[in-house]
Amino acid sequence: MKLISAIVKPHKLDSVKDALQAIGVRGMTVSQVQGFGRQRGHTEVYRGAEYTIDFVPKIKVEILIADDSETLVVNTILESASSGSIGDGKIWVTPVEDAVRIRTGERGNDAIDQEQGR
Amino acid sequence: MKLISAIVKPHKLDSVKDALQAIGVRGMTVSQVQGFGRQRGHTEVYRGAEYTIDFVPKIKVEILIADDSETLVVNTILESASSGSIGDGKIWVTPVEDAVRIRTGERGNDAIDQEQGR
Amino acid sequence: MKLISAIVKPHKLDSVKDALQAIGVRGMTVSQVQGFGRQRGHTEVYRGAEYTIDFVPKIKVEILIADDSETLVVNTILESASSGSIGDGKIWVTPVEDAVRIRTGERGNDAIDQEQGR
Amino acid sequence: MTLLTHFNTGDTAWVLASAALVLFMTPGLALFYGGLSRSKNVLGIMMQCMFCIGAVSIIWAVFGFSLAFGKDVGGGIIGNLGLAGMGSNHTLIPGLSHLAVSPLAFGVFQMMFAVITAALIAGGGADRMKFAGFCVLIVVWTVLVYVPIAHWVFSPNGWLAHQGVLDFAGGTVVEINSGFSALGLAIVLGKRHGWPREAMVPHSVPIAVAGAGILWFGWFGFNAGSAGAANGVAVHAFLNTQLAACAGLIGWLIIEKVTTSYATTVGAISGAVAGMVAITPCAGFIGTMPSILIGLLAGLICASAVKLKFKFGYDDSLDVLGVHGVGGLIGTILLGLFASVAVNHGGANGLFYGGGLHLLGVQVLAALVTAVYALVVTAAIAKLLDKTIGLRVSPDDENIGLDSSQHAENAYSIGSSQGHR
Amino acid sequence: MTLLTHFNTGDTAWVLASAALVLFMTPGLALFYGGLSRSKNVLGIMMQCMFCIGAVSIIWAVFGFSLAFGKDVGGGIIGNLGLAGMGSNHTLIPGLSHLAVSPLAFGVFQMMFAVITAALIAGGGADRMKFAGFCVLIVVWTVLVYVPIAHWVFSPNGWLAHQGVLDFAGGTVVEINSGFSALGLAIVLGKRHGWPREAMVPHSVPIAVAGAGILWFGWFGFNAGSAGAANGVAVHAFLNTQLAACAGLIGWLIIEKVTTSYATTVGAISGAVAGMVAITPCAGFIGTMPSILIGLLAGLICASAVKLKFKFGYDDSLDVLGVHGVGGLIGTILLGLFASVAVNHGGANGLFYGGGLHLLGVQVLAALVTAVYALVVTAAIAKLLDKTIGLRVSPDDENIGLDSSQHAENAYSIGSSQGHR
Amino acid sequence: MTLLTHFNTGDTAWVLASAALVLFMTPGLALFYGGLSRSKNVLGIMMQCMFCIGAVSIIWAVFGFSLAFGKDVGGGIIGNLGLAGMGSNHTLIPGLSHLAVSPLAFGVFQMMFAVITAALIAGGGADRMKFAGFCVLIVVWTVLVYVPIAHWVFSPNGWLAHQGVLDFAGGTVVEINSGFSALGLAIVLGKRHGWPREAMVPHSVPIAVAGAGILWFGWFGFNAGSAGAANGVAVHAFLNTQLAACAGLIGWLIIEKVTTSYATTVGAISGAVAGMVAITPCAGFIGTMPSILIGLLAGLICASAVKLKFKFGYDDSLDVLGVHGVGGLIGTILLGLFASVAVNHGGANGLFYGGGLHLLGVQVLAALVTAVYALVVTAAIAKLLDKTIGLRVSPDDENIGLDSSQHAENAYSIGSSQGHR
Ligand SMILES: Nc1ncnc2c1ncn2[C@@H]1O[C@H](COP(=O)(O)OP(=O)(O)O)[C@@H](O)[C@H]1O
Ligand SMILES: Nc1ncnc2c1ncn2[C@@H]1O[C@H](COP(=O)(O)OP(=O)(O)O)[C@@H](O)[C@H]1O
Ligand SMILES: Nc1ncnc2c1ncn2[C@@H]1O[C@H](COP(=O)(O)OP(=O)(O)O)[C@@H](O)[C@H]1O
């Protein structure tokens, strides 16, 4: 199994989620993060002083998948999260040694609700 | 070393934490996440319109452990986080190549505060 | 590639960020987490009752890097995040199999904005 | 600190307190609207409300009050500039020589009405208006829409006032006007991206409740202060305001419970507002039990009316039409049935109190005229501005949110500077 | 807008302003309670407060006011239905013919008291009550508990009033009543899951401070408005309210500092409320220095009393007993010592002012009767409802929180629709 | 509930309502300041504001009022203790025998002024003061700084009053005083760690807007209540307050737009406050159009003045000097130009109204004396306390934040007890 982690723009979350559902991904975990990168943060004005906020709000999506879905899932995120402008984010893939569904104790690929044959 | 990541129901955090302490785990890192899965989000009503909220509040627990504790820790989380109902969450295990305690610079298993012999 | 995850004290974030920039790290992702460890949480008083809050606010920094930067990045975080007092946090390193820049589709080390030769 | 003039102190105390209460309603509205907005657009709408206080008050003092309440230039259409600068405690307001309080007190009380009406319409274009465009819009709108309607109805020399229209505290001038102006604005601006597919739910209901609490509190000044004196009519208006708010709250919850099986907090505060909107024209003209009835109807009907936008496809983001427009229509028209001179000798009898159909006819006329005028003129102004200086933000800016794109601010910052052990 | 009746305008202005202030206290209480709640139960308690405004006001207008202040049916137990619908500005309220203001103004001022007393008791059952059950509870409670006690004490024909009990603004009717009613409710409902093991701390202290600020502001209307006129007694009541609040604030902080070595913000606002609770029965009857003393005692004692629940194991979630019940007892009883006719000719002299033990005895009697009656009858109503329609939510729903389970809402939504660059 | 004394009821109603409004300003300030603070220091500043209400009120009642308004001990420097305990409704205040209201009402109204002035200075030392040190500071400061200045200016027997200084509602006593006291405090405490390198931006602008709304609302009591009666002067003061606030709001936004190309919400509310600060001394002495001008100037100048701290390196955290100090100077001095007896027979004519240079000279004198005295004495007190009991928290505690280190509280808790399915 693999864990796909994607940092995306917040307003892209809905399209990423929809695209993943369309290819049979049945679960994911999402959190609010702050990104630092090429995309400069915005300027804030507070009582005459201007500040640059280094960190930009982003969304992190984590998806646990079976090994063979890696390419499909990565490409799907790539397409659905891209706006072509700086700050679109990153995807990275890490190996997962085991997965468990807490409710049932199922392990490995069975712990993931991916649809078959996709 | 391993990193155990568990997505659990928020109200299970206390029992997970207590169970892990009981088996000698001395540290963990917790964050608020939103889960998407089989468990459907709840319905919200706003001025006559009903919305389904896809994402369900969850807690992510991350625990860095020595290799030999994997089974014990996973099983402990499994027991203490399970309510038997949909949405109980997932646990996954990823390999960790190195760990450091920032305060002391200790590395590897020494960086983790696990109690000996458990 | 590697993913460096560091749990640090919130007020150390600025110095960690500055130190990483100084060694050529061009991107990172940051999130708010709650830590549990040796450092005990603070006491809270609410209408005469005293509570100990187990969890302590921490910041998690995630940095995707090329393999050869691991030592430099870990040491840089170690120095810039340390205050020498309990609760300074942990760093851990996990293997990354693939990385993608969403905007361009670049893969691997190209997906990371690290400066050359450092 | 000597006395200049000798107005009744009790009446003065009440009208000044009421003016303060009505002013307080606009920051209250900023909280109400802000709480109902998403977290990226909170300051956008709050800023629009605050700007309305600033700009509309100055316009009102310099010439708006005069155009609304000055000597009629003929035909009851608009006042002249004789009261420009608002005059002094000795000034005479045409047709209002019997005021119990200083004309300046009356003028500043009325100022607060102009302010909140302007702020209300911001809700129709929430989440997608350029700040600069909004500023110009509100200035033009105050002069071309608010001031004339105020003259027609509130000045004794206005043409609708001449017809005998009754509007105790602004069912037409404030409520129908703001509701239909907001509709015009919403139509010209077009829908927000993602609406109605995406859920656009309140980012902080507690803040909205705080705002609604302030609105409720302030409405006593709005309605009971419109008696212009601390007298028995003010007492009636006060009590009726409370009862209509309560009945509106209950009415809205009933509809919610029946249609969704949940009663919501947003529903409760929306219902209270709807009840107060509907009682606004009636407050000092009708009895206690009719007030409960009108409030209840407002709650029931407005709770249903806010769904019309999904059917007709206009994006009245914060339901100004559904609550203020529809609530204002309900109150203005039902006053034709329930008005009673037993409550207020200065009023009239409605259909149910032996007054025949005349009052009802006038009320319907005033309601329609206000609705159509507000809708058409506001839409025209908005269209013109959109074609010239631009009224709608770019898709990118809408995406980022107004707080960041228009004001370089974030409503909430819990960023890196939050230091903990 | 002509005058119907000729009440003193200054008194009318003050009583109307006061009524508005007292109404404002209930949204203020919603913020105070909501801020002190956990984030999953914020709207639950706010909604209960808002519902109380809606339901209790209507009940009061239709028949509650009449039962409380109407002609006594005999024995000083309850009024008749002669004032049903609240009458008009010309109505005569039995025993209150000397009112400086319109009976309708008096009636709507008193309405606000019934509202906030009902809302207060919600705090005793916070985090675990079904909304539907609460709605029924509050309706029954208003009729069976609030209205009778109001009649006994506030109506000049009530049996306790006949004994000569003094209660300027509701030490018995509002404070002891709400405190012991909340206790009854808390006992019947049982403890919240996890209490007292789990820390159940305020989710937003700033919101609680906002609420406390509104309560403080409104309390001037509550107490000084109870003079029924803008006279010297009102001035005394106003000043005493301020001083008792301040002394209560200091007193609570002293206890906190001594016992935990920290002075907390929640302690400061709780102490101010405790001081105002205790001064409520006394406000227009005692002097300035005794007010400081009573406020200080209230702060000291209530800061200790809120810990009793841990000892006795009843889960009075928001400390209604500890603050309102105990504070009310303190004020009601100490008035028997400090009352002085030098401050108010219409009052009496307490033990320390040469009045002997009579007043003290009556005050103790009224305090006990109110406490026992409120406790027993409220517990009985709650028990009955719990056995029939159900008053406590399921463990699952309690877990999820009232906002989501009872109202299909979230207090805060910063979800997927928050778009940023 | 009989009448003790026979003051005018309308004037009494207005002064009591105003006193309540001014009290409300301090919780409003707590929200304003709290919203502008970072989330770890919210309760620190709120607590300081609440403590000021508690402590200053009691000091005022026990002897502060007497020192300020009691019989002068000679030279117009300070009053005696003849009014200790605040007296009764029959007390005579030296030089104020013509009061339209009870001396107790006047005294409690003035109490609220002392409270908010004390709370204002907390803003200069925000984020780094020990709570215990602050408590002592504020007590000493009230006695050594506030009370004398109040005597000099507000008591008819004060030495500045004898010079003919005009200060309608506290341009010197409240505004210049708090601004320069805060400066003294900021200098003695030194800069916050990280300032000005780190961005220290508001954690919740909506809460700051709520606070500003309350301040605005309350300021009508502050200024128009200072007429001491519900008369024509009060009406002028009321209207002028509104217009100056509005013009200040616009002025600040203009500066922001020009210098940063954005108009911000914090700018809008800061500008409104600046306008109200500047109009405070002038409110009942000048006409409508000069009020707009003074408000506008205050907005323009204060928006620039808040940047001075970056230039001169003093860390006036919440810009008390930049807004209250500078705004107070503007209003106090410009009153020497614009005062007009046509508005208030009890005032004087300024330079532009034929009054020559005398008034201007006195105004400048009073402004300077107040600024220097407040700055020097406050700095001295702060220095002394810092050397003895300690006034600044440890770097660690500053890091963690005042909420946790000083009060063992968190403003927001959304921790582990937030249960969802
Ligand atoms: N080396 C990195 N490690 C972790 N996260 C990164 C890294 N570089 C970028 N990111 C994340 O990706 C986001 C986008 O990166 P950025 O450089 O701004 O634009 P782009 O991905 O288009 O080149 C950042 O905001 C950050 O959250
Ligand atoms: N493939 C996945 N990748 C990452 N997280 C997942 C995945 N599937 C489920 N989750 C997480 O686990 C939670 C519970 O999953 P769900 O399917 O609702 O119930 P269950 O685990 O009982 O089958 C989700 O809310 C989500 O946070
Ligand atoms: N085993 C662990 N797994 C994950 N995170 C840990 C673990 N141990 C500690 N942490 C994180 O590191 C932080 C600091 O740890 P702590 O034991 O308090 O101090 P120190 O690192 O100085 O020994 C904790 O708050 C927690 O976030």
Side-chain angles (χ1 to χ4, degrees), chain A residues 7-9 33-40 54-59 84-92, chain C residues 2-4 25-30 61-66 100-104 106 110-114:
Chain A
I7 310 294
V8 303
K9 292 190 174 175
V33 297
Q34 306 282 323
F36 176 86
R38 273 189 203 208
Q39 179 194 5
R40 308 297 356 170
D54 287 329
F55 292 98
V56 181
K58 300 280 172 197
I59 294 284
S85 62
I86 274 197
D88 273 353
K90 305 272 182 278
I91 307 173
W92 61 78
Chain C
K2 308 283 178 198
L3 180 70
I4 314 283
V25 170
R26 289 286 163 267
M28 70 191 80
T29 299
V30 160
V61 184
E62 285 173 301
I63 315 141
L64 198 61
I65 52 158
V100 192
R101 185 194 304 278
I102 293 177
R103 173 163 47 91
T104 57
E106 287 163 289
D110 294 341
I112 314 178
D113 281 308
Q114 235 169 318

Side-chain angles (χ1 to χ4, degrees), chain A residues 2-3 25-30 62-65 100-104 106 111-114, chain B residues 7-9 33-40 54-58 84-92:
Chain A
K2 308 283 179 198
L3 180 70
V25 171
R26 287 288 163 267
M28 70 190 82
T29 298
V30 161
E62 286 172 301
I63 315 142
L64 197 63
I65 51 158
V100 192
R101 184 195 305 277
I102 293 176
R103 173 163 47 91
T104 57
E106 287 162 287
I112 316 177
D113 282 309
Q114 237 169 318
Chain B
I7 309 294
V8 303
K9 291 189 175 176
V33 297
Q34 308 281 323
F36 177 86
R38 273 191 204 207
Q39 180 196 3
R40 307 302 348 175
D54 287 330
F55 292 99
V56 181
K58 299 280 172 195
S85 62
I86 275 196
D88 273 352
K90 303 272 181 280
I91 307 174
W92 61 78

Side-chain angles (χ1 to χ4, degrees), chain F residues 71-341:
Chain F
K71 196 166 170 306
D72 192 80
V73 297
I77 296 301
I78 196 80
N80 71 6
L81 287 172
L83 299 175
M86 297 192 70
S88 76
N89 282 320
H90 309 284
T91 302
L92 237 152
I93 305 178
L96 290 171
S97 54
H98 60 287
L99 277 182
V101 298
S102 153
L104 271 190
F106 175 78
V108 74
F109 179 69
Q110 285 294 333
M111 175 189 289
M112 307 312 190
F113 278 61
V115 164
I116 194 166
T117 311
L120 276 167
I121 76 171
D127 301 355
R128 58 196 186 286
M129 260 188 295
K130 273 192 192 169
F131 182 60
F134 176 78
C135 292
V136 178
L137 175 85
I138 226 56
V139 167
V140 178
W141 178 91
T142 300
V143 179
L144 296 190
V145 182
Y146 186 83
V147 159
I149 299 180
H151 184 74
W152 303 347
V153 176
F154 280 166
S155 166
N157 302 318
W159 75 271
L160 283 170
H162 269 297
Q163 309 292 317
V165 68
L166 292 184
D167 187 352
F168 195 74
T172 54
V173 181
V174 175
E175 307 299 350
I176 297 178
N177 182 0
S178 62
F180 284 85
S181 292
L183 175 62
L185 183 58
I187 291 172
V188 170
L189 284 169
K191 305 173 197 178
R192 289 168 291 176
H193 288 288
W195 186 87
R197 192 179 38 77
E198 258 178 52
M200 296 178 175
V201 295
H203 89 286
S204 171
V205 181
I207 288 186
V209 172
I214 292 173
L215 286 174
W216 196 324
F217 177 50
W219 227 302
F220 292 119
F222 200 87
N223 284 355
S226 288
N231 57 18
V233 170
V235 173
H236 266 294
F238 191 108
L239 174 60
N240 292 344
T241 302
Q242 173 70 6
L243 292 174
C246 293
L249 185 155
I250 306 269
W252 193 300
L253 294 188
I254 289 173
I255 293 288
E256 280 195 333
K257 185 79 191 170
V258 168
T259 60
T260 72
S261 82
Y262 288 99
T264 72
T265 313
V266 171
I269 58 181
S270 303
V273 170
M276 291 188 283
V277 164
I279 207 66
T280 289
C282 316
F285 292 126
I286 69 174
T288 306
M289 291 304 129
S291 296
I292 297 182
L293 184 69
I294 288 177
L296 187 70
L297 286 172
L300 296 170
I301 297 173
C302 292
S304 311
V306 292
K307 297 176 204 167
L308 292 178
K309 66 181 183 186
F310 297 109
K311 189 154 170 204
F312 292 103
Y314 57 89
D315 184 7
D316 175 17
S317 323
L318 293 166
D319 297 310
V320 195
L321 178 69
V323 175
H324 296 270
V326 172
L329 287 175
I330 294 169
T332 301
I333 293 172
L334 291 187
L335 181 54
L337 305 179
F338 292 108
S340 160
V341 293

Side-chain angles (χ1 to χ4, degrees), chain D residues 189-340:
Chain D
L189 284 169
K191 304 172 196 177
R192 288 168 292 175
H193 288 287
W195 187 87
R197 193 179 38 77
E198 259 178 51
M200 296 179 176
V201 294
H203 89 286
S204 173
V205 180
I207 288 186
V209 172
I214 292 173
L215 286 174
W216 196 322
F217 177 51
W219 227 301
F220 292 118
F222 199 88
N223 284 354
S226 288
N231 57 18
V233 170
V235 173
H236 266 294
F238 191 108
L239 174 60
N240 291 345
T241 301
Q242 173 70 4
L243 293 174
C246 293
L249 185 155
I250 306 268
W252 192 298
L253 294 188
I254 290 173
I255 293 288
E256 279 195 333
K257 184 79 191 170
V258 168
T259 59
T260 72
S261 82
Y262 288 100
T264 72
T265 313
V266 172
I269 58 181
S270 304
V273 170
M276 291 188 283
V277 164
I279 208 65
T280 290
C282 316
F285 293 126
I286 70 173
T288 307
M289 292 302 130
S291 296
I292 297 181
L293 185 67
I294 288 177
L296 187 69
L297 286 172
L300 296 168
I301 296 172
C302 292
S304 311
V306 292
K307 297 175 203 167
L308 292 178
K309 66 181 181 184
F310 298 109
K311 188 153 171 207
F312 292 103
Y314 57 90
D315 184 6
D316 175 17
S317 323
L318 293 168
D319 297 310
V320 195
L321 178 70
V323 175
H324 295 269
V326 172
L329 286 175
I330 293 169
T332 301
I333 293 171
L334 291 186
L335 181 54
L337 305 178
F338 291 107
S340 160

Side-chain angles (χ1 to χ4, degrees), chain D residues 8 10-11 39-40 202-206 217 226 230-233 235 238 242 246 263-266 343-346 399-400, chain E residues 1-4 9 12 16 19-20 23 43 47 50 53-54 57 85 89 104-105 405-407 409 411-413 418-419 421:
Chain D
N8 180 292
D11 294 334
S39 58
K40 64 181 178 180
H203 89 286
S204 173
V205 180
F217 177 51
S226 288
N231 57 18
V233 170
V235 173
F238 191 108
Q242 173 70 4
C246 293
T264 72
T265 313
V266 172
V343 172
N344 188 336
H345 292 305
N399 221 349
I400 306 163
Chain E
M1 303 186 191
T2 38
L3 272 170
L4 275 188
T9 57
T12 300
L16 288 186
L23 178 279
L43 301 184
M47 184 67 166
M50 298 313 281
I53 310 184
S57 298
N89 283 320
L104 270 191
S405 75
Q406 303 299 299
H407 306 295
E409 286 181 300
Y412 306 99
S413 296
Q418 188 192 24
R421 248 188 274 257

Side-chain angles (χ1 to χ4, degrees), chain D residues 1-4 9 12 16 19-20 23 43 47 50 53-54 57 85 89 104-105 405-407 409 411-413 418-419 421, chain F residues 8 10-11 39-40 202-206 216-217 230-233 238 242 246 263-266 343-346 399-400:
Chain D
M1 303 186 192
T2 40
L3 271 169
L4 277 188
T9 58
T12 300
L16 288 185
L23 179 278
L43 301 184
M47 183 68 166
M50 298 313 283
I53 309 184
S57 298
N89 283 319
L104 272 190
S405 75
Q406 303 299 299
H407 306 296
E409 286 181 299
Y412 306 99
S413 296
Q418 187 190 25
R421 253 187 269 258
Chain F
N8 179 294
D11 294 334
S39 58
K40 63 181 179 180
H203 89 286
S204 171
V205 181
W216 196 324
F217 177 50
N231 57 18
V233 170
F238 191 108
Q242 173 70 6
C246 293
T264 72
T265 313
V266 171
V343 172
N344 187 336
H345 293 303
N399 220 350
I400 306 163

